[in-house]
Amino acid sequence: MEAGPTPITVLLCEDSLGFRMLASAWLEDAVDMELVGVAETGNEAVELAARLQPQVVLLDHLLPDADSSTLVARLREVAPTVAIALVSGMPNDLLAGEAGRSGVEAFCSKASEPSGFLTVVREARAVANP
């Protein structure tokens, strides 16, 4: 029996319990992804990224102790090969601007359908590792 491709390892960084539960379920149901950790704060995200070395970090734009503009550099410092996908409830045009300023590989709105949310993980991974 042939093994399938290695799943994309994902660290989810989200402070909203409701969205964290939804996103976790979507990631766990995706056959090509493995949810390796969940963080509720920026500091926790940095600690987990350093320890787990995920391939993709799904990063909420605004966490209680930091925003994406400060966290992206800290995450890349501890996990240099990580791809970062920014998620937020802000309108897509504002989110696109923030994603560009932060230097992340991909972004999506929290209003996205599950398929769109999972696509952004795949896109971030593909951009970081062509």
Side-chain angles (χ1 to χ4, degrees), residues 11 13 39 41-53 70-79:
L11 171 61
C13 307
T41 67
N43 286 332
E44 189 179 10
V46 172
E47 290 171 18
L48 286 174
R51 189 174 79 230
L52 300 172
Q53 294 297 305
T70 58
L71 274 177
V72 169
R74 290 176 59 204
L75 288 166
R76 293 199 195 283
E77 194 174 292
V78 299

Side-chain angles (χ1 to χ4, degrees), residues 55-61 67-76 82-88 90 94-108 120-121 123-128:
Q55 294 169 315
V56 176
V57 172
L58 273 170
L59 179 62
D60 185 7
H61 169 57
D67 64 29
S68 59
S69 61
T70 58
L71 274 177
V72 169
R74 290 176 59 204
L75 288 166
R76 293 199 195 283
V82 73
I84 300 173
L86 193 62
V87 294
S88 176
M90 69 174 53
L94 295 177
L95 183 56
E98 185 57 38
R101 281 187 294 282
S102 298
V104 298
E105 282 74 20
F107 66 92
C108 76
V120 81
V121 173
E123 286 174 359
R125 178 70 178 141
V127 168

Side-chain angles (χ1 to χ4, degrees), residues 11-41:
L11 171 61
L12 175 63
C13 307
E14 172 61 53
D15 63 324
S16 165
L17 176 62
F19 190 75
R20 194 168 59 240
M21 290 174 65
L22 269 177
S24 294
W26 295 338
L27 290 164
E28 288 170 355
D29 286 347
V31 296
D32 62 337
M33 294 177 205
E34 178 185 359
L35 181 60
V36 295
V38 178
E40 295 180 39
T41 67

